[in-house]
Amino acid sequence: MLLQQVINGILTGSVYALFALGFNLVLGALNILNVAQGAIFTLSAFVAYYLISIYGVPFPLALLAATVAGGGINVLLELLVFRPLRSRGGSAMSSLVASIGASMILISVAQLMSGAQVERFPFGTLPEIQWTEFGMRISFTQVLVLVTTMVTMAGTYILLNRTRLGKAIRTIAFDERIARMLGIPTVSVARWTFFVSGALGGLAGVLLGIMYNSVYFLMGEPYVLKGFAAIVIGGFGSVTGVIVASMMIGLLEVFSTVIGIGTFRDVVTFGVLFLFLLFRPNGLFGRDEEVRP
Amino acid sequence: MKKFSAKPLAFSSSVVLATLIAVASTSPVSADDIKIGVPLSLTGPVAFAGTKMKDAMELAFDEVNSSGFLGTTKLVPVFADDRSNQPQGISVTQQLVLRDKVSAIVGYTASNICQASLPVAQELKTPTLQADCVVPGLNKIGNYVYSAVRPSDVFVEQTIDKLVAARKIKTAAILYQRDNPVFVNLQPIVAKAFERNGVKIVANEAVTSGGDSDFSAQLTSIANGKPDVMAILLFGGQVGPAMVQARQAGMKDTIFLGEQNFDSVEVRRVAGPNAEGSIFPSHWFAASPVPANVKFVKDYTERFKREPDTFSANGYNAVWLLAQVIKKAGSGDREAIRTAMETIGDMDTVFGTAGKTRFEDRQVTLTPFFFTVDKAGKAVPAFDKP
């Protein structure tokens, strides 16, 4: 049972990680806490659900389309909400408030689309294969989710550290003014940052929906707080930190149940967050803030 | 009762109307419209139930008004969304009473909101018929507050007694939602009912939020105990995913036991074949031959292109109960309505097999049906009779 719970924890943590990576990208690069990421997570899951259940689109295509849709919705938010605020010199707080409003609108759209009912992907969307070894059960869906999240995490790491876009994002994160002086097209890079962030959130939403057989208009809400906790524990802006912290949260939640304190699993998670804020405010992999003259 | 609603020109309906008039008081009704407050959870985690209630309540209000059940008087519903949130529930109650000046309130979806809002309705001396909250104790709030449904605890206890008597049940587990008073209240009652029947509880796991859909950790622990039966005490939207995940966790033969919220097409659609064999009690039986129920199911299905479920039935039934109370009161005066609630006697209902109910101790009298889910995903009578 213990091994099974470790797998459960890693699966939960891997979805947290995708969500939190997207969250972290916009926060780290543009200093915007975009809580609408939860709504994007939800809407993308619905996009995949409708494509599969109504139009019979195969799962891989629906997953791709929903991921792109997540990125697209976030770009729309950037264009309609965040860009106008930033161009007027709006503060981080005004962006946060605007993202709360955007989130409420998007969640209402999801509720209207679904009539507030829980949906599930049609049976047989993915092969219903289950392997049983060493007392563990692992399904094809779980393997697919695990592989997809691992590949995406690696891809995100490479994108940020080995590509020109990634370098541009990191430069903007360091200082947007300097990035402009260096000739980096900050507007376009910001847009791509929003796209990648939304795509990561969207991908996480579809994977969660297929893994737990549930697509619901409020499914993204718990992930906003968990994603934020992962960023704080992992360290703002750190890809490795967010991944490690997300896995940690997934495992903490599962092992709270194993040791019989499952009722308090959120207390455990946010208790750890509180301890980090007190004793290691820069998180596991965060660095002390550099003071630039 | 023959029918709730009557189309004035239809002969059969006229007969029904005459029957209804004979049953209810013949007090004259006011020519003025009567405003009725209808607080429901239309957004937030309980919206899956509130939106269905609203559809059915609109249908019922339309039927009351178009049938001339209250003469020339029309009931004018004022819907308000409590957003599945207690403070908002209190706020909309105050708003309906103080700003909209409603004559009575019918509605509420979630038990925790009932617990917070009904004392406010009592304090503001507004007759209130709550339609869907099944937590015990609501009938003790005061003389303005009545319940159109009964607490679920006794029904679930009876289900356990019958299940253990009918099957070889030795072990049980409980998966419950810690965030809602109905389930927090039910969990020890269910545990005691199992123990009273000599059934060993092998696992007792909590889900911390109504928004959770990942129950893998809890179900892995529960599956380890190999329970013969697992009580699933979760929100309706969580029940289907929990059933699917439980089967995936290895509980292939475990019987799922629940409360009235299992009685939902949505639960069975989401769970698919995984729901087969589930057992639950309900005060409403879609296939009940009570004429009012037959009409309700037919009209609802035609209007909304989907089958009604318990939540729809609760909403529809509560509006019709209130309409009968107002008919007895003969006006939209709050005191007259409250007095009518106390004295009304037998009322027509879509629930039960006799189509009659009455208020006792400020809540309706009802006998539950017991259902199981068959291979086709239909709710059919469990045990030897419904």
Side-chain angles (χ1 to χ4, degrees), chain B residues 142-275:
Chain B
N143 59 344
Y144 286 83
V145 176
Y146 283 69
S147 292
V149 287
R150 289 188 72 84
S152 52
D153 49 359
V154 178
F155 287 3
V156 176
E157 278 183 300
Q158 289 174 356
T159 314
I160 292 170
D161 293 345
K162 281 180 170 282
L163 177 66
V164 176
R167 314 268 179 92
K168 287 179 185 169
I169 304 292
K170 292 206 165 64
T171 54
I174 303 171
L175 178 68
Y176 75 101
Q177 220 258 87
R178 195 203 60 179
D179 220 16
N180 181 284
V182 172
F183 304 122
V184 170
N185 173 68
L186 261 181
Q187 182 266 333
I189 291 170
V190 167
K192 274 183 194 156
F194 278 126
E195 283 161 1
R196 177 164 46 75
N197 281 286
V199 177
K200 186 184 173 196
I201 306 285
V202 292
N204 196 351
E205 296 290 347
V207 170
T208 52
S209 154
D212 281 352
S213 57
D214 169 12
F215 314 117
S216 55
Q218 295 93 328
L219 291 170
T220 299
S221 287
I222 290 174
N224 196 45
K226 296 184 171 53
D228 296 323
V229 58
M230 175 171 74
I232 302 178
L233 311 175
L234 303 176
F235 279 150
Q238 296 177 306
V239 171
M243 287 177 174
V244 179
Q245 291 175 44
R247 297 289 185 227
Q248 286 170 348
M251 286 184 262
K252 298 290 180 202
D253 301 316
T254 301
I255 298 166
F256 301 137
L257 177 139
E259 48 116 44
Q260 284 99 313
N261 68 9
F262 270 35
D263 189 15
S264 154
V265 177
E266 183 195 14
V267 166
R268 298 194 288 274
R269 180 174 49 76
V270 172
N274 302 290

Side-chain angles (χ1 to χ4, degrees), chain B residues 46 84-86 110-117 133 135 179-182:
Chain B
V46 201
S84 307
N85 169 295
Q86 280 184 317
S111 290
N112 59 334
I113 295 169
C114 270
Q115 286 177 321
S117 307
C133 305
V135 71
D179 220 16
N180 181 284
V182 172

Side-chain angles (χ1 to χ4, degrees), chain B residues 346-361:
Chain B
D346 279 355
M347 293 174 287
D348 301 305
T349 178
V350 297
F351 296 154
T353 47
K356 292 284 178 193
T357 189
R358 58 191 294 116
F359 290 126
E360 273 181 18
D361 202 15

Side-chain angles (χ1 to χ4, degrees), chain A residues 1 4-5 8-9 12 16 49 108 111 115-120 123 130 137 139 142 208 211-214 216-219 222-223 226 253-255 257-258 260 262-267, chain B residues 42-49 51-52 176 178 205-206 208-218 220-221 224 237-238 241 244-245 247-250 252 266 269-274:
Chain A
M1 186 182 87
Q4 181 73 59
Q5 293 288 30
N8 292 340
T12 304
Y16 286 160
Y49 165 74
S108 300
Q111 179 175 359
Q117 304 307 305
V118 177
E119 303 292 353
R120 62 151 293 148
F123 289 102
Q130 198 170 54
R137 289 168 181 275
S139 67
Q142 288 171 320
L208 182 96
M211 190 161 63
Y212 297 129
N213 307 291
S214 172
Y216 184 45
F217 75 101
L218 290 173
M219 63 190 278
Y223 283 78
K226 301 281 168 66
E253 288 187 352
V254 164
F255 280 93
T257 301
V258 172
T263 310
F264 303 105
R265 68 185 202 169
D266 287 345
V267 176
Chain B
L42 300 174
T43 53
V46 201
F48 69 91
T51 49
K52 287 180 178 172
Y176 75 101
R178 195 203 60 179
E205 296 290 347
T208 52
S209 154
D212 281 352
S213 57
D214 169 12
F215 314 117
S216 55
Q218 295 93 328
T220 299
S221 287
N224 196 45
Q238 296 177 306
V244 179
Q245 291 175 44
R247 297 289 185 227
Q248 286 170 348
K252 298 290 180 202
E266 183 195 14
R269 180 174 49 76
V270 172
N274 302 290

